[in-house]
Amino acid sequence: KVLDADNWLHTGDIGRWGPDGVLYIIDRKKNIFKLAQGEYVAAEKIEMIVSKSKYVAQPWIYGNSFFPMLVAVGTPDGAELAAAAKQGGWFIEPQSALAEKPQAKKFILDQMVAEAKQAKLKSFELPRAVVLEPEINELMQGFSIANDCLTPTFKLKRPQLLKRYQKQIDSMYVSLGEDPSKYKK
């Protein structure tokens, strides 16, 4: 059933042939989307890059074909964010309240953008706004199996994340000058 009429195997993966003749799986087709200006974005690549920041524990990069920019939802590393907040003079407890502070969101976004620029990502691959998950479990996860945001192999469940954070995503796009209500069914 996975073979088409020409006997091509369709797995949903994106591959690249290496010089040694080996097929390397480099991405999943469902994790690539097109932005409004026609640019294709590989969300997992960006997530891997921005998660190199010691302040970002779990990033989720979101974009769609109605808008020309990306937004992000992230779980911050609580201890690192608290240390930066104390140094910056905007610390507050508990951690859930700290994650809601505008300074925390700006700080994490700046960290994500710095990592992305260091990796030489293109400007359309940089997230333009971020929301931080304030509820973190005992494993330091905001996205977890329990809240249906991760698979048992700890991969992001993108449709479930979109459903969970739709209001925040819409708010981020509004803050960036877009009108998500034009595209609601």
Side-chain angles (χ1 to χ4, degrees):
K1 291 183 181 181
V2 295
L3 296 177
D4 68 12
D6 297 321
N7 286 323
W8 281 95
L9 176 67
H10 295 273
T11 64
D13 294 304
I14 294 176
R16 178 187 47 157
W17 291 105
D20 53 359
V22 174
L23 176 63
Y24 293 92
I25 305 299
I26 58 172
D27 213 333
R28 295 281 300 155
K29 186 176 174 184
K30 67 181 180 178
N31 293 338
I32 295 179
F33 48 84
K34 189 192 310 190
L35 296 177
Q37 70 274 34
E39 298 287 355
Y40 284 92
V41 174
E44 280 186 345
K45 175 182 96 172
I46 299 168
E47 290 160 356
M48 281 185 3
I49 289 168
V50 300
S51 68
K52 290 179 181 178
S53 168
K54 67 180 182 179
Y55 302 101
V56 181
Q58 292 177 297
W60 172 51
I61 301 296
Y62 176 79
N64 70 41
S65 61
F66 296 124
F67 305 115
M69 76 281 287
L70 301 173
V71 295
V73 177
T75 301
D77 181 297
E80 295 292 346
L81 181 61
K86 286 176 184 173
Q87 187 176 12
W90 42 271
F91 179 75
I92 186 173
E93 289 191 281
Q95 183 172 327
S96 58
L98 180 60
E100 297 288 340
K101 287 191 71 94
Q103 295 96 325
K105 293 174 187 178
K106 181 185 181 325
F107 181 80
I108 294 293
L109 180 62
D110 290 347
Q111 297 301 313
M112 289 179 161
V113 169
E115 289 293 340
K117 285 183 176 180
Q118 184 176 358
K120 298 186 180 357
L121 292 184
K122 296 178 177 89
S123 61
F124 64 84
E125 295 176 300
L126 306 177
R128 299 278 300 278
V130 68
V131 166
L132 302 179
E133 171 55 60
E135 301 300 321
I136 298 174
N137 67 17
E138 63 280 353
L139 298 174
M140 304 313 238
Q141 297 173 323
F143 310 146
S144 67
I145 296 168
N147 66 18
D148 200 33
C149 292
L150 290 180
T151 68
T153 57
F154 299 107
K155 290 184 177 72
L156 295 175
K157 288 181 157 183
R158 295 177 190 282
Q160 287 85 340
L161 284 162
L162 178 58
K163 184 177 179 183
R164 180 180 175 97
Y165 295 104
Q166 186 69 65
K167 286 182 185 177
Q168 293 93 326
I169 289 168
D170 289 349
S171 293
M172 284 188 279
Y173 278 122
V174 167
S175 75
L176 295 168
E178 300 292 341
D179 183 5
S181 66
K182 293 193 310 190
Y183 306 105
K184 301 286 183 194
K185 293 180 183 176

